[in-house]
Each structure stands twice: as structure tokens, then as C-alpha cells.
Amino acid sequence: MKSVLVNPGLPAAPVDIEEDDLRRELGFISLAYPFDDPVCLVHDDDGIANHRAPNRTVNGMIIPGPFYVLGVSCEGELLSLSPALQEKYLKVFALPETFPPGQWKVATTIQEDLHGVYVRIDTSWIPAEEDPGAEDPAEEES
């Protein structure tokens, strides 16, 4: 399938990939649909737990680790990108984002109401200078 590969710190690149290879490269995959086009982002669902580096911000959410942009059918089947969509998303992800050194912060909230119990997981990238628990490298040298 024709796709766009987006790696942390690198410009997007056109690649051909098969669905089995996606699972081998990314592990437990998750699909996100942040755009109006018939495309999805295929990424490692455990990217934060696997300590993958932050890659790109998409609609306010930081995607950890590499991801692929693939076409998707109305039924959710993964498809090759058309040449026009491949070109479009090569441009969308052409410039790599840089993130300051830091770590992932995961906050879990459990809520209960009349319909059941819900678990909400919020994640964010905390730069080292904003993390009160981070050690100051200057102090380690003394």
C-alpha cells in the first residue's frame, strides 16, 4: 500500500507497506482519523508506554513514535493513498517538530455515574525545565 511514513525528527517520506509489516514495525496498532480526507494515522497504541519519542502534534495531540498515513475505506479497511493524497500529506508532515527534552506524563481519572465506571487517560509531554521532579544536570556535576 502506498503511504506516508512520519518519523520523529525527520521529514515525511513516501513508502510502500503491507498491513502485516505495520504490525511488525509498530506493535499493537491504533488508528486515528484526525482529518476530513479518507485517511487515517496508523501508530503504536502503546507508544507512550514503550517510551517512544514525541513525533508530531496533530489536532492538539502529540503522537509518539513513527506513524503512517494510509487511505481508509468507509468500512475502515486500510487502502493505498491516492497520488494526490500522498503528495498532500508529504507536505503536511514535511517539517519535523522539535520537542524539548522531557518525559511523558500520564494521568488516569476514574469516573462513576449511573451508567457505569469510566477510565479517562490523559497524556502530555512535560519538558524537563517544567518538571519539578526532574533533576538539574548542573547539580549532578558537582
Side-chain angles (χ1 to χ4, degrees), residues 15 36 38 41 62 78 80 93 118:
V15 295
D36 291 333
L41 304 184
I62 300 173
L78 295 176
S80 276
F93 296 113
Y118 303 91

Side-chain angles (χ1 to χ4, degrees), residues 5-13 52 54-56 65-68 93 96-97:
L5 171 60
V6 185
N7 273 306
L10 298 172
R52 297 211 185 238
N55 188 342
R56 301 292 201 285
F67 64 87
Y68 292 85
F93 296 113
E97 280 186 65

Side-chain angles (χ1 to χ4, degrees), residues 2-134:
K2 299 215 177 296
S3 67
V4 172
L5 171 60
V6 185
N7 273 306
L10 298 172
V15 295
D16 287 330
I17 188 144
E18 296 303 320
E19 194 166 342
D20 291 341
D21 296 329
L22 286 170
R23 295 181 196 293
R24 235 183 328 278
E25 286 187 32
L26 298 176
F28 184 69
I29 63 172
S30 183
L31 307 179
Y33 306 90
F35 304 110
D36 291 333
D37 293 320
V39 300
C40 65
L41 304 184
V42 182
H43 61 94
D44 178 1
D45 192 52
D46 294 328
I48 293 171
N50 292 331
H51 306 286
R52 297 211 185 238
N55 188 342
R56 301 292 201 285
T57 304
V58 179
N59 291 346
M61 221 171 133
I62 300 173
I63 307 288
F67 64 87
Y68 292 85
V69 182
L70 281 159
V72 65
S73 71
C74 295
E75 294 82 30
E77 180 184 356
L78 295 176
L79 305 170
S80 276
L81 288 174
S82 69
L85 286 174
Q86 189 176 41
E87 186 63 32
K88 177 180 179 177
Y89 286 97
L90 283 168
K91 289 178 183 174
V92 167
F93 296 113
L95 297 176
E97 280 186 65
T98 55
F99 296 87
Q103 64 185 6
W104 287 107
K105 177 181 176 187
V106 179
T108 305
T109 307
I110 299 175
Q111 300 171 335
E112 188 172 353
D113 65 15
L114 296 174
H115 303 289
V117 176
Y118 303 91
V119 176
R120 177 180 169 172
I121 300 173
D122 294 309
T123 60
S124 56
W125 182 254
I126 307 298
E129 65 269 8
E130 294 179 19
D131 183 2

